[in-house]
Amino acid sequence: MDEGAETYPQLLQTVLDCTDPRQLAEFYRELLGLVYRAGDEPAAFGPGDPAPDWLVLLTRTGQRSLAFQQVDRLERTTWPAPDVPQQLHLDLTVPSREDLDVQHERALGFGARLVLDRSDDPQEPLRVYADPAGHTFCLFVA
């Protein structure tokens, strides 16, 4: 390392709390085209095995992307109402308005719920969704 060079932590993955890690992992696996870390695949768990409390999804090149952590209770955000804030949300981009519409249908088909629709915004078309656990994520054209 060069003298005086700074080092920084590297972001490994984003972890989402949820009451059902498999359900939420499957949602994002399908939506984003991710793959399970070896040993986290559904087939790795037998009928008598306890449900996993931690799952990791990777990009197709093997980089960690998202992890899902079991919690007993999760209070869903009420955003845009201020009662329960988002605390964190994911921003996902697509290259065109047409892609936004295609991904909108896919997200709904996988169990997302539309929270806000600004797809007609000429500057930055976007839609905000809640995933099956209630976490918000945005899909927008960038």
Side-chain angles (χ1 to χ4, degrees):
M1 183 166 79
D2 294 336
E3 190 173 322
E6 294 185 52
T7 60
Y8 301 96
Q10 299 298 305
L11 180 63
L12 177 65
Q13 62 201 357
T14 299
V15 180
L16 299 173
D17 285 351
C18 53
T19 57
D20 186 342
R22 180 65 68 199
Q23 178 195 34
L24 198 57
E26 277 297 299
F27 172 81
Y28 281 106
R29 184 186 68 78
E30 290 283 346
L31 183 67
L32 301 176
L34 300 172
V35 297
Y36 283 103
R37 173 181 66 176
D40 284 354
E41 305 91 344
F45 296 86
D49 293 339
D53 61 1
W54 178 266
L55 294 169
V56 176
L57 291 178
L58 312 173
T59 66
R60 295 200 177 267
T61 60
Q63 301 297 309
R64 286 178 178 241
S65 181
L66 294 172
F68 306 90
Q69 175 175 266
Q70 173 83 40
V71 295
D72 292 333
R73 185 180 64 79
L74 182 68
E75 192 168 357
R76 291 177 179 252
T77 179
T78 57
W79 186 90
D83 302 329
V84 179
Q86 294 180 79
Q87 298 181 12
L88 175 122
H89 73 271
L90 302 175
D91 280 343
L92 310 173
T93 63
V94 294
S96 71
R97 173 56 202 262
E98 292 76 25
D99 291 316
L100 181 65
D101 291 339
V102 168
Q103 296 306 321
H104 169 72
E105 293 302 323
R106 288 184 71 240
L108 295 177
F110 297 141
R113 179 177 52 84
L114 183 65
V115 176
L116 175 70
D117 188 343
R118 283 198 359 223
S119 57
D120 59 353
D121 185 321
Q123 300 297 318
E124 187 177 62
L126 71 89
R127 291 185 176 110
V128 180
Y129 303 86
D131 69 22
H135 304 102
T136 50
F137 66 94
C138 299
L139 268 171
F140 62 95
V141 177

